[in-house]
Amino acid sequence: MQDDDEVPWSRPHWSEWSTTDLIRWCERRRIDLSGCFDREAVLDRVIQSAKEDMADAEDDTRREDSQFHVVRIASRVKTDGSYTRPPTLDRRNSLFGNRVERFQGVESDILPWLYRAGDKSRLYGIFFGNEFAYSLVWTRYKFWGRPGARPNRYEESW
């Protein structure tokens, strides 16, 4: 199994993975393997983690249906500073360090949150419900903005 081979349908079922691949998968997701002394125990942890992720995703979807105005944020590592594929809300996707952030709020809360807790080396995807809306990055002009954004003349004079 390759490290970048994260699309689930491109791999065999977990039951066919080697013990090494199962352990590597758990380590990348920080799944505790203490007390696992054989392959079957590791496989049980993988299956348990997958079930929990699926239940979390279902809960998130139900919550979003009732709170459609709530904004969610996912992020991924910027690879070369250019605009690339946006992050996803799928917790199972870890390609380019994709992660769903622990932010839930309204759109006006995004920038204060990014200035307080944002990682300047990441690209942030803003979602309304499950729909991708736009991306934000730390620009070379030292502010959070859309990829390729430049300050206007008024802002440059400050």
Side-chain angles (χ1 to χ4, degrees), residues 63-141:
R63 193 174 321 118
E64 286 163 14
D65 290 342
S66 65
Q67 298 178 352
F68 62 91
H69 61 280
V70 172
V71 174
R72 297 181 63 204
I73 300 176
S75 69
R76 58 166 286 202
V77 175
K78 287 191 300 189
T79 53
D80 62 359
S82 66
Y83 178 74
T84 53
R85 183 175 169 175
T88 175
L89 289 175
D90 184 355
R91 294 180 188 279
R92 295 169 292 177
N93 181 2
S94 63
L95 196 59
F96 295 107
N98 189 85
R99 71 178 180 219
V100 177
E101 300 293 338
R102 295 183 184 269
F103 171 90
Q104 280 195 339
V106 295
E107 191 172 15
S108 61
D109 296 335
I110 295 171
L111 284 177
W113 180 83
L114 282 172
Y115 280 105
R116 186 180 66 254
D119 181 344
K120 295 174 184 175
S121 67
R122 299 185 71 81
L123 172 106
Y124 290 87
I126 311 304
F127 295 81
F128 298 116
N130 283 331
E131 295 295 320
F132 174 76
Y134 56 92
S135 293
L136 292 173
V137 295
W138 182 253
T139 68
R140 64 181 171 174
Y141 301 104

Side-chain angles (χ1 to χ4, degrees), residues 19-34:
T19 305
T20 305
D21 287 343
L22 288 167
I23 291 170
R24 198 175 304 137
W25 189 87
C26 290
E27 287 172 348
R28 279 198 310 256
R29 286 159 182 78
R30 295 187 176 107
I31 297 170
D32 181 24
L33 292 177
S34 58

